[in-house]
Amino acid sequence: MILLLGPSGSGKSTLLKLLMQDSKQKTSKNDFVELPATIPTVGSNINNISLGKRSHIEIRELGGSMAPIWKSYFDEAKGIIFVIDVSNPQQISVASIQLKEVLAYKLPTLVVLNKSDILSVTSVNEMKYLLRLNQLFLVCESYMSVVETSCQDKTGFQDIFKWLRTF
Ligand SMILES: Nc1nc2c(ncn2[C@@H]2O[C@H](COP(=O)(O)OP(=O)(O)OP(=O)(O)O)[C@@H](O)[C@H]2O)c(=O)[nH]1
Ligand SMILES: [Mg+2]
């Protein structure tokens, strides 16, 4: 089981829905998609993602509002996808603190810089700087990967599938 974590509204449920759709029927990058409707996740949201050749992986989203009890799920997890909304500078300090807590578990972790399609006053590079991603990478390089994504045009989706196939 892979845990899908990150602050409220960063796009976890949206990503999960679209990954599931993509794993069923092949759509290509830059197919501009209408984002599926989501509501804030209360509790958790579990889905099986097919990875082809009869293999699949279970992904469990825990809503951002459940952050105080995320840690009770870490024992069962093989890896973590941590989703950050890079268009939201107001949430960056929360995201940064949560990410450090998550990385302390030393599980394979994919940091997803989502909503890269939205032009914000703070650029994606500035967000990376504010998250101290380079410094974190120096310490956590052996188990941490980073990908920029957009659920709007599926940027980065192939990299997420590639990471999932390493389990
Ligand atoms: N433009 C844009 N909007 C996105 C993207 N990903 C998600 N959204 C929107 O962001 C909002 C929140 O998305 P959710 O997937 O519900 O967020 P969540 O992380 O599951 O939130 P919680 O369950 O409350 O923790 C929705 O309106 C989505 O349509 C993206 O890549 N680009
Ligand atoms: Mg959700």
Side-chain angles (χ1 to χ4, degrees):
M1 182 269 286
I2 304 292
L3 278 178
L4 180 58
L5 308 175
S8 303
S10 55
K12 300 177 293 298
S13 298
T14 309
L15 191 68
L16 191 53
K17 276 192 183 183
L18 293 175
L19 287 174
M20 213 175 59
Q21 276 176 22
D22 265 29
S23 74
K24 282 187 192 146
Q25 94 235 339
K26 281 271 154 278
T27 47
S28 58
K29 177 180 160 358
N30 295 334
D31 280 353
F32 200 78
V33 290
E34 192 158 329
L35 292 175
T38 58
I39 51 164
T41 307
V42 180
S44 68
N45 183 11
I46 305 171
N47 268 309
N48 259 310
I49 305 277
S50 154
L51 298 173
K53 293 183 194 138
R54 275 176 282 161
S55 80
H56 57 85
I57 194 157
E58 185 183 281
I59 300 193
R60 178 175 205 148
E61 177 199 354
L62 301 177
S65 60
M66 279 177 71
I69 58 158
W70 282 351
K71 49 179 166 302
S72 53
Y73 292 84
F74 279 57
D75 279 351
E76 298 165 56
K78 288 194 285 186
I80 296 162
I81 299 177
F82 189 83
V83 184
I84 296 168
D85 175 354
V86 284
S87 75
N88 186 353
Q90 281 91 340
Q91 210 176 45
I92 201 74
S93 56
V94 169
S96 172
I97 291 166
Q98 289 178 350
L99 177 61
K100 276 183 200 135
E101 283 172 9
V102 163
L103 288 170
Y105 285 85
K106 299 192 172 172
L107 289 167
T109 303
L110 180 65
V111 181
V112 172
L113 304 175
N114 191 36
K115 306 201 194 182
S116 60
D117 57 285
I118 299 177
L119 275 179
S120 138
V121 282
T122 314
S123 71
V124 176
N125 276 340
E126 283 170 318
M127 290 296 269
K128 284 181 174 171
Y129 174 76
L130 292 171
L131 285 164
R132 300 287 187 271
L133 269 194
N134 284 344
Q135 285 93 327
L136 287 175
F137 203 68
L138 287 178
V139 184
C140 310
E141 193 188 355
S142 59
Y143 58 94
M144 170 184 166
S145 314
V146 180
V147 59
E148 281 176 35
T149 62
S150 160
C151 290
Q152 194 80 82
D153 64 13
K154 312 251 181 104
T155 299
F157 276 40
Q158 288 315 315
D159 292 324
I160 298 178
F161 279 118
K162 208 157 128 191
W163 183 84
L164 287 172
R165 285 194 200 96
T166 61
F167 290 92

